[in-house]
Amino acid sequence: MNVIYCGVGGQGIVLMSNIVGEACARKGIHVVSGELHGLSQRSGSVIVHQRIGEGLSPLIPYGEADVILALEPMEALRYVYFLKPGGVVITNTRLIHHPYETENFVKGKIDKYITYEEIVENIRKSGAKLYEIDALNLAEEAGTALAQNVVLVGALTALPDFPIDKETMLEAVKASVPEKAVEANVKAFELGYNAMKKLL
């Protein structure tokens, strides 16, 4: 399985791929990842390629990703060209407007902000199977807004073709987050998993 993880700097994109990588290691499944951070400290784009399977290079060729897991919907649209025909996009519903977009709006270079509805319409036009998860709301329900990334990892795990079982993924979550945050992140994972099951 080829997975693209994406979002903006500070959302915990790399942690998502680390959790899946940890679970693969526990199951003896070969996995390789490649991280491209961009200007991640300035709300810039962050993308991680992850390939689960034997003998693969880290970077996913265009049109060969099975899943795009996006913490920010504009980033899902930005990288949709990596998706294979009929592939899956799981996106957070929380839109984060880029500082450059705000600057252009304030200076009158654009008339309005892009809307969430416009973004998802364009993702659907690509032919992707789109699943929308309110990760912020679920993370807050779990006890911390910082767990939005783990909510989406739970959603990824719920996919029928995902090659790692839920129990192993939960163990990987526990091993990958700080001890004081384990309880909230386990709950966040469960909430994301259950939310995705309802959409399938």
Side-chain angles (χ1 to χ4, degrees):
M1 177 174 273
N2 293 330
V3 183
I4 293 283
Y5 306 86
C6 59
V8 299
Q11 288 189 298
I13 313 302
V14 175
L15 178 61
M16 292 196 297
S17 66
N18 287 350
I19 291 169
V20 176
E22 172 68 22
C24 287
R26 288 168 181 261
K27 297 295 284 186
I29 299 171
H30 180 75
V31 61
V32 290
S33 300
E35 304 165 10
L36 301 172
H37 296 279
L39 295 172
S40 58
Q41 293 181 345
R42 295 179 180 259
S43 302
S45 181
V46 179
I47 179 174
V48 177
H49 296 240
Q50 189 169 63
R51 309 190 77 183
I52 303 168
E54 291 298 325
L56 301 171
S57 65
L59 299 183
I60 300 168
Y62 299 156
E64 292 190 20
D66 298 288
V67 181
I68 293 176
L69 193 64
L71 269 165
E72 202 284 327
M74 189 66 184
E75 296 303 313
L77 179 58
R78 184 188 313 277
Y79 294 114
V80 77
Y81 61 88
F82 277 106
L83 199 66
K84 73 179 186 182
V88 170
V89 173
I90 304 171
T91 185
N92 189 2
T93 58
R94 180 185 177 215
L95 178 59
I96 301 173
H97 293 285
H98 194 279
Y100 291 134
E101 187 183 11
T102 300
E103 180 184 6
N104 286 333
F105 180 73
V106 170
K107 290 180 176 179
K109 293 180 180 177
I110 58 173
D111 295 329
K112 64 181 182 67
Y113 284 115
I114 190 168
T115 66
Y116 177 77
E117 290 72 25
E118 289 170 323
I119 293 168
V120 296
E121 179 185 352
N122 281 290
I123 293 172
R124 287 193 180 100
K125 282 180 182 176
S126 76
K129 296 175 188 171
L130 177 64
Y131 298 98
E132 301 166 64
I133 303 284
D134 188 346
L136 176 59
N137 183 55
L138 294 176
E140 288 176 340
E141 184 181 336
T144 174
L146 296 176
Q148 291 176 67
N149 52 355
V150 178
V151 168
L152 289 191
V153 170
L156 173 68
T157 305
L159 289 175
D161 294 335
F162 191 69
I164 307 164
D165 61 276
K166 181 183 176 185
E167 291 70 27
T168 302
M169 288 295 294
L170 275 168
E171 289 305 311
V173 168
K174 293 173 187 175
S176 301
V177 301
E179 189 175 342
K180 64 181 181 181
V182 166
E183 184 178 349
N185 278 277
V186 166
K187 187 173 181 183
F189 179 96
E190 293 281 5
L191 288 168
Y193 183 91
N194 293 333
M196 189 65 184
K197 283 291 188 186
K198 290 176 184 175
L199 295 175
L200 293 170

